[in-house]
């Protein structure tokens, strides 16, 4: 496993949340909070990444993660370059490693990578030079660490007593890097109860999500939940869709509606990492309703990514 911290304790890479301890995780969340000023602003621009270059390498589509990393890096005064996988020389046969080496030759300091292939962020982190950093911006079905951070930050803001919370993740958990990173972060924070709710073909293997309770029916899975995290069905990650319900059939059985929300606690918060498929995993009435904190998750995404970049800035080599 790639060492994510430098010898002096500064953050070098962020590939996974799995080996962070509670102190390290809370420190990142506390740092992110410093960038949130009221409801309408982020904190003023900081010079922490002045003279540094952050490269956003996205080999899968993204709206929230890519834009929020761009904003975060810009607010820390970095120069930002974005490479879209489909529009890069990758389509002419260049390897990913050669792509990274090319950007490294242009003195890129931080690589932010989204990929459909498992293992790529750690592989690239093992090849980039000393004093350079890599952040995983979403890796296949495996990891999405900054999403996990923004999710637990959002939960902590609304319900700080995480050890006494019941969190229900609902939907396509099998193919979800969001669910895996959220579960890692919630585990580190010692969540009271974690439920995995969805039709059997969309639930993960039983040897995953240590300690979580599985529900193949929605209503018992939502009963008395404090937090509900709805997930999109990720058909793009499925080799075959045998046994996977159609969108209509899924909504009838597992769609999060205002009526079904009544099974949860009265002050339940409803989360969704986005993008949302309305009237498939969640009704518009719930997505836009009083329990929804989906917009807050997006706002928190910039602050969390600023915190991660700021921590990484402390360990970059040389003067910019
Ligand atoms: N939640 C998330 O990763 O969204 P994007 O795919 O739009 O970045």
């Amino acid at each position: 496993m790639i060492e994510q911290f430098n010898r002096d304790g500064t953050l070098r890479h962020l590939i996974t949340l799995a080996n962070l301890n509670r102190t390290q995780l809370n420190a990142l969340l506390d740092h992110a909070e410093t960038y949130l000023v009221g409801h309408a602003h982020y904190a003023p621009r900081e010079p922490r990444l002045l003279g540094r270059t952050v490269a956003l390498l996205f080999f899968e589509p993204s709206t929230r993660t890519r834009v929020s990393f761009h904003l975060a890096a810009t607010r820390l005064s970095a120069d930002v370059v974005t490479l879209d996988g489909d529009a890069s020389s990758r389509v002419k046969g260049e390897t990913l490693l050669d792509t990274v080496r090319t950007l490294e030759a242009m003195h890129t300091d931080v690589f932010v990578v989204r990929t459909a292939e498992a293992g790529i962020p750690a592989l690239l982190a093992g090849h980039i030079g000393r004093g350079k950093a890599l952040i995983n911006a979403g890796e296949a079905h495996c990891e999405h660490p900054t999403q996990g951070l923004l999710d637990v930050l959002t939960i902590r803001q609304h319900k700080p007593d995480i050890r006494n919370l019941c969190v229900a993740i609902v939907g396509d958990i099998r193919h979800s890097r969001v669910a895996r990173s959220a579960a890692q972060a919630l585990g580190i924070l010692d969540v009271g109860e974690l439920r995995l709710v969805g039709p059997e073909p969309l639930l993960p293997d039983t040897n995953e999500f240590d300690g979580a309770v599985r529900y193949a029916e929605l209503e018992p899975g939502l009963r008395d939940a404090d937090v509900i995290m709805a997930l999109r069905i990720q058909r793009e990650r499925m080799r075959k869709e045998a046994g996977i319900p159609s969108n209509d059939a899924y909504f009838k059985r597992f769609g999060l509606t205002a009526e079904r929300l009544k099974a949860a606690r009265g002050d339940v918060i409803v989360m969704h990492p986005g993008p949302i498929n309305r009237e498939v995993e969640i009704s518009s009435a719930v997505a836009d309703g009083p329990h929804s904190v989906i917009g807050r998750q997006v706002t928190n995404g910039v602050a969390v990514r600023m915190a991660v970049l700021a921590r990484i800035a402390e360990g970059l080599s040389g003067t910019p």
Side-chain angles (χ1 to χ4, degrees):
M1 187 181 273
I2 288 287
E3 185 50 70
Q4 299 199 109
F5 288 86
N6 295 306
R7 283 209 191 95
D8 62 2
T10 53
L11 189 62
R12 166 124 197 244
H13 304 296
L14 185 62
I15 311 294
T16 176
L17 298 179
N19 58 3
L20 267 61
N21 62 36
R22 190 176 310 158
T23 305
Q24 290 163 334
L25 194 145
N26 273 322
L28 282 168
L29 302 186
D30 292 344
H31 195 140
E33 287 282 11
T34 67
Y35 294 123
L36 294 164
V37 181
H39 288 293
H41 300 286
Y42 295 113
R45 195 172 287 245
E46 286 185 358
R48 286 179 195 253
L49 284 170
L50 192 63
R52 301 290 190 180
T53 300
V54 175
L56 310 181
L57 278 58
F58 276 67
F59 299 102
E60 268 197 329
S62 169
T63 296
R64 279 147 285 271
T65 312
R66 191 169 77 164
V67 173
S68 61
F69 263 115
H70 193 125
L71 283 173
T74 305
R75 297 202 67 80
L76 296 175
S77 308
D79 295 322
V80 183
V81 291
T82 302
L83 196 65
D84 282 316
D86 290 348
S88 77
S89 286
R90 285 269 287 153
V91 297
K92 294 184 258 178
E94 187 169 63
T95 67
L96 198 45
L97 205 48
D98 282 334
T99 303
V100 165
R101 285 188 177 129
T102 301
L103 291 168
E104 217 175 347
M106 298 179 203
H107 301 308
T108 293
D109 298 286
V110 183
F111 296 89
V112 177
V113 178
R114 169 167 287 196
T115 168
E117 291 171 72
I120 293 294
L123 177 89
L124 296 178
H127 280 84
I128 60 176
R130 289 170 64 81
K132 312 268 184 194
L134 189 139
I135 302 171
N136 183 349
E139 172 192 359
H141 63 284
C142 310
E143 310 259 4
H144 195 349
T146 56
Q147 178 75 41
L149 289 172
L150 77 87
D151 285 341
V152 288
L153 178 63
T154 307
I155 293 172
R156 199 179 79 161
Q157 287 166 342
H158 291 85
K159 297 177 180 290
D161 188 9
I162 290 181
R163 288 181 176 181
N164 281 315
L165 291 186
C166 170
V167 178
I169 305 181
V170 182
D172 182 5
I173 298 158
R174 171 172 281 275
H175 303 98
S176 176
R177 55 193 175 209
V178 172
R180 286 177 176 80
S181 287
Q184 286 169 357
L186 287 165
I188 292 164
L189 297 178
D190 213 7
V191 68
E193 184 182 350
L194 181 62
R195 296 178 183 171
L196 310 178
V197 188
E200 200 58 54
L202 296 181
L203 289 176
D205 290 341
T206 46
N207 60 353
E208 283 199 279
F209 292 83
D210 203 22
V213 187
R214 298 158 65 99
Y215 290 83
E217 294 298 331
L218 184 62
E219 202 274 338
L222 298 186
R223 199 170 296 145
D224 294 329
D226 300 287
V227 177
I228 299 170
M229 189 182 293
L231 299 175
R232 180 175 67 87
I233 302 177
Q234 299 189 47
R235 296 189 192 275
E236 73 273 22
R237 298 203 194 287
M238 298 175 192
R239 260 170 272 152
K240 53 183 174 51
E241 293 197 20
I244 307 298
S246 67
N247 287 348
D248 285 348
Y250 182 86
F251 187 66
K252 279 199 188 96
R253 213 175 130 204
F254 281 94
L256 211 52
T257 62
E259 184 58 32
R260 287 171 167 160
L261 214 56
K262 290 178 185 164
R265 288 202 180 274
D267 62 349
V268 66
I269 58 168
V270 175
M271 305 172 68
H272 192 304
I276 290 173
N277 287 157
R278 290 171 184 264
E279 321 309 330
V280 180
E281 69 270 11
I282 190 167
S283 70
S284 285
V286 173
D288 305 327
H291 296 278
S292 173
V293 296
I294 296 169
R296 185 70 193 222
Q297 287 174 269
V298 176
T299 303
N300 286 338
V302 175
V304 155
R305 286 159 185 139
M306 286 178 77
V308 170
L309 285 166
R311 286 295 164 116
I312 277 175
E314 296 166 0
L316 294 175
S317 68
T319 46

